Amino acid sequence: MKRFAPLALLTAALLACQPATAPSTREHLVVSGAPYERGLAHGTQLRSKIRGFYTTLMTNSLFPFLSREQPDIATLLKEYEGEKYLGGRFAFELLLESGRSIERSLGRAGRDELRGIADGSGLTYEEALILNTFVDTTLAVRGIGLAIRQGRAPVVESVQLLGLEADGVDNDGDGQRDEAGEGTLTPYEPPFFAAAVEVDVSTRLRVVFSDPDGVDPQTVRVRVDEGLFTFGDPALEVLELSPTRVQVTWTPLTPLPAARPVTFVLSAGDRRVIEVPGPPRASFRRDEELVVTTRGAGLGVRELSRPALTDNRTRPPPFTVAVRGGRAVGGGPLLAHSFALLDANTAHKHTVSILHQPDVGPAFVTVGWAGIVSGLSGLNERGVGVSCNPSDTLDNSVVGSVLDQVADLSRAKLVASGLPATYLVRRVLERASSAAEGAEVLAEGNPVYGWNCTVADDRGGLEVVELDSDVFKQGQGGVLRYGPADLSPVSMRRYSSLTDDDVVVGSSYTRNVDDSITLNLAGQRIVPQRSWSGFFFRSRRVMDAVTRRLAARAEPVDVDWLKAVLVEPELVDRSDSMNAVVLDLRGRVVHSAMGTVPATSSPFVATEVRR
């Protein structure tokens, strides 16, 4: 039998103010045997926490949260106006229908473990199924609801930085100066990098918004770094070009800061008032971020590092950073993961690390929550570690179910299929002996939703795998892979690395930039991730912040340095941080902080996996 060896609970606080002992809200389990036996042990030992977790997270928090999407979704899919989904039943019925569909992909072992959890905890099998499949389904449904709302909101037609066609500078990094259209983004596509570099400190910004229902001039917002400009401000000129188009021109009344990055944030609402669900409101464009540098900064378009925003408008999404070779003490390899999504003031009370000792295959540790078979990061005794971050996409299985029913949308429903991310992580840990094998397992996984997964091994293997459901059949099978040394054929720069020995991964696609096609479905516009996802700009910013710290580090990275990065205030979601993990692949040690909000308020606890 495989054995578990604790490292004497190395709970050393990173900061002096941290508690000296592990929080009581975290648990550690060792489960052995066949799948049903492991599930039964899990359910029995955490019976009260599992039942409490289901009640507080699902019944009291998630079901009401998800039900708020019902009116938007019912505008497209009339089936959800039916009696079955009324009276607060929408979320439960939708998640159960998707859970039963996903169940087909879990295999006998997966279903047996769920039955064990249900029998041990006292949940029904249906409740255990929902608890283990809701994350991906909810993300897909939430994404569809967000895309519908963004489809109603004003569109940015064009962005223009005035004067760049005659300033004698190559502002867009194409090797030419002052060509026609320099400084103009039309049609507008949210930029991955700088919108322009080396602009004059007196540069004016012009934006055109359009909306079939009309753009309300009084809702226009332009933020320049920490300064907010609204309708009526002397710096902001708002001109109605037509009933459906508004032109906004911002003029700096004082010069922009010299020789540094400057962030513009743009938004506007339409004239149509949405009554249900209340309160009455307009449809607002998400915050669109444009970053430029002023003259003297000396940075290229793709060298710009987005500055931190301190106005508390957005929170950092999940991210991963991995190092190996010359970038890591002793060659590493090390993988750090910060996961944040929805704590709802309850998930942190039900955290658990589990040492799985199956009858067949390697032992492995996962970091997650009571009643859920796995987490979103883990390490096996073969030295393979993995972490996954959600990545919004309309190329997901729920959209695929609608496409399959497009002939009669009046009866179409949102039904997820494929494997949830927790099961993808499990399969990597159960099967892989190397990063390459782990990447293959992910590539064969048929995910429910979009994910960015990083897999590494103790010999230095390191790969990122970007996944979607491939419902549009774009030719890549829903899988795009890259390593630290791989270059983008467009920019000829590394996808998300500084050197051959590091990688920084966020919650937006880096290689899979055209994750979905653009089309209209029953009046709803389907567009790639960067045009609608709330993760997109947040993710680009957190990746830049982590990369800045990595670039400033002259010495090789160790476990303590990665822990310190995970607790940096700029990188922590103060309300929905769920866990922070550092995987020491060669040492076979999982360092995890969880059990509080944010998770990094807790000390890191070390758990070792060995034969």
Side-chain angles (χ1 to χ4, degrees):
M1 177 182 291
K2 300 175 177 66
R3 298 187 62 81
F4 163 70
L7 286 180
L9 294 179
L10 298 179
T11 54
L14 288 177
L15 304 174
C17 62
Q18 288 182 316
T21 58
S24 60
T25 49
R26 80 176 284 155
E27 303 279 354
H28 178 74
L29 297 184
V30 181
V31 295
S32 304
Y36 179 82
E37 294 169 335
R38 283 182 277 137
L40 185 63
H42 180 172
T44 302
Q45 293 180 64
L46 297 183
R47 179 183 176 88
S48 63
K49 287 208 167 185
I50 293 171
R51 293 170 66 88
F53 188 38
Y54 184 89
T55 299
T56 55
L57 180 65
M58 306 300 295
T59 305
N60 297 343
S61 297
L62 185 63
F63 290 168
F65 169 80
L66 195 57
S67 291
R68 288 198 294 270
E69 304 288 348
Q70 183 178 9
D72 286 327
I73 290 170
T75 63
L76 178 65
L77 305 176
K78 299 302 181 183
E79 182 75 9
Y80 292 113
E81 295 177 340
E83 183 176 351
K84 177 181 178 180
Y85 301 98
L86 300 180
R89 296 283 297 174
F90 170 77
F92 177 82
E93 294 294 341
L94 184 147
L95 291 176
L96 180 57
E97 289 166 358
S98 285
R100 286 170 173 161
S101 173
I102 291 169
E103 183 185 23
R104 302 167 192 155
S105 300
L106 301 184
R108 179 175 177 179
R111 294 190 292 271
D112 284 350
E113 188 167 359
L114 282 185
R115 289 191 182 92
I117 290 173
D119 290 348
S121 66
L123 294 182
T124 67
Y125 179 76
E126 289 180 339
E127 290 170 336
L129 179 63
I130 288 175
L131 188 61
N132 278 271
T133 58
F134 80 90
V135 171
D136 298 68
T137 302
T138 300
L139 285 170
V141 174
R142 180 198 63 88
I144 291 169
L146 176 59
I148 289 173
R149 288 193 294 276
Q150 285 297 295
R152 288 198 302 250
V155 171
V156 179
E157 277 192 6
S158 64
V159 171
Q160 186 178 9
L161 293 157
L162 301 177
L164 270 58
E165 294 182 356
D167 65 350
V169 177
D170 177 14
N171 306 106
D172 54 14
D174 65 354
Q176 301 181 52
R177 300 180 182 180
D178 299 345
E179 73 269 29
E182 188 161 8
T184 300
L185 304 177
T186 183
Y188 170 77
E189 288 187 345
F192 276 76
F193 305 103
V197 295
E198 297 294 302
V199 307
D200 189 82
V201 294
S202 62
T203 298
R204 301 160 67 208
L205 174 71
R206 178 166 290 164
V207 183
V208 175
F209 292 99
S210 67
D211 190 285
D213 296 313
V215 180
D216 184 352
Q218 298 193 45
T219 64
V220 170
R221 301 285 187 273
V222 175
R223 186 179 290 274
V224 185
D225 286 343
E226 304 309 322
L228 177 62
F229 303 87
T230 60
F231 183 78
D233 192 290
L236 206 61
E237 178 190 9
V238 182
L239 177 64
E240 294 191 67
L241 301 178
S242 73
T244 61
R245 300 172 72 236
V246 164
Q247 176 182 283
V248 180
T249 304
W250 176 81
T251 301
L253 301 184
T254 58
L256 294 170
R260 50 156 281 191
V262 175
T263 303
F264 295 94
V265 181
L266 319 171
S267 186
D270 66 1
R271 292 185 180 275
R272 179 185 176 192
V273 177
I274 305 296
E275 300 285 350
V276 179
R281 68 208 182 281
S283 296
F284 276 86
R285 183 70 202 168
R286 69 168 183 188
D287 287 349
E288 297 289 329
E289 293 183 15
L290 303 171
V291 185
V292 305
T293 64
T294 49
R295 199 74 51 83
L299 296 172
V301 170
R302 291 176 175 82
E303 296 171 331
L304 176 69
S305 181
R306 285 170 174 78
L309 295 181
T310 58
D311 58 4
N312 297 316
R313 289 184 304 106
T314 58
R315 301 192 298 267
F319 68 87
T320 298
V321 54
V323 292
R324 66 181 181 186
R327 294 293 275 165
V329 170
L334 303 171
L335 187 155
H337 186 213
S338 174
F339 185 72
L341 193 60
L342 176 65
D343 179 73
N345 197 33
T346 188
H348 70 278
K349 302 172 186 176
H350 303 87
T351 52
V352 59
S353 62
I354 304 178
L355 174 69
H356 306 259
Q357 296 181 146
D359 283 346
V360 178
F364 56 92
V365 169
T366 59
V367 177
W369 301 271
I372 297 180
V373 299
S374 182
L376 292 164
S377 55
L379 171 67
N380 72 17
E381 66 175 345
R382 295 171 179 170
V384 176
V386 60
S387 69
C388 290
N389 302 323
S391 196
D392 280 341
T393 182
L394 292 175
D395 194 339
N396 67 65
S397 64
V398 177
V399 171
S401 73
V402 177
L403 293 176
D404 289 342
Q405 305 165 82
V406 73
D408 185 5
L409 286 180
S410 66
R411 303 187 66 178
K413 294 198 291 187
L414 305 176
V415 181
S417 60
L419 276 179
T422 50
Y423 282 86
L424 290 170
V425 167
R426 276 288 294 267
R427 289 195 177 181
V428 171
L429 299 175
E430 290 169 340
R431 301 178 183 182
S433 298
S434 67
E437 288 182 5
E440 286 297 328
V441 170
L442 291 169
E444 296 167 358
N446 184 28
V448 173
Y449 194 57
W451 294 86
N452 297 338
C453 297
T454 306
V455 60
D457 65 46
D458 62 349
R459 296 176 299 285
L462 179 58
E463 280 201 60
V464 178
V465 186
E466 297 183 344
L467 300 167
D468 63 43
S469 300
D470 195 33
V471 300
F472 299 116
K473 308 300 180 187
Q474 293 172 271
Q476 82 276 30
V479 179
L480 286 169
R481 296 163 58 172
Y482 64 88
D486 292 333
L487 304 180
S488 163
V490 177
S491 68
M492 294 309 296
R493 295 179 61 85
R494 302 175 196 272
Y495 285 105
S496 57
S497 304
L498 287 169
T499 72
D500 287 354
D501 289 328
D502 58 64
V503 69
V504 178
V505 180
S507 296
S508 64
Y509 290 131
T510 298
R511 185 176 177 189
N512 189 19
V513 294
D514 295 318
D515 57 297
S516 74
I517 61 177
T518 299
L519 59 83
N520 285 302
L521 176 62
Q524 173 60 42
R525 193 163 178 256
I526 299 218
V527 292
Q529 174 193 89
R530 62 175 168 171
S531 295
W532 64 272
S533 170
F535 276 142
F536 179 73
F537 292 111
R538 295 166 54 200
S539 183
R540 303 303 302 179
R541 199 180 321 127
V542 80
M543 290 170 67
D544 283 354
V546 174
T547 301
R548 278 198 302 273
R549 287 160 173 77
L550 200 57
R553 174 76 178 182
E555 300 82 12
V557 168
D558 60 11
V559 169
D560 285 341
W561 186 85
L562 287 171
K563 290 180 184 177
V565 168
L566 294 178
V567 303
E568 284 276 356
E570 183 185 354
L571 305 178
V572 174
D573 183 331
R574 305 300 300 178
S575 60
D576 282 321
S577 166
M578 300 183 77
N579 58 53
V581 176
V582 179
L583 305 178
D584 179 354
L585 306 179
R586 190 167 294 169
R588 308 293 199 276
V589 182
V590 177
H591 303 265
S592 58
M594 56 186 176
T596 55
V597 180
T600 48
S601 295
S602 297
F604 282 85
V605 176
T607 305
E608 182 177 358
V609 183
R610 64 172 62 189
R611 292 184 181 277

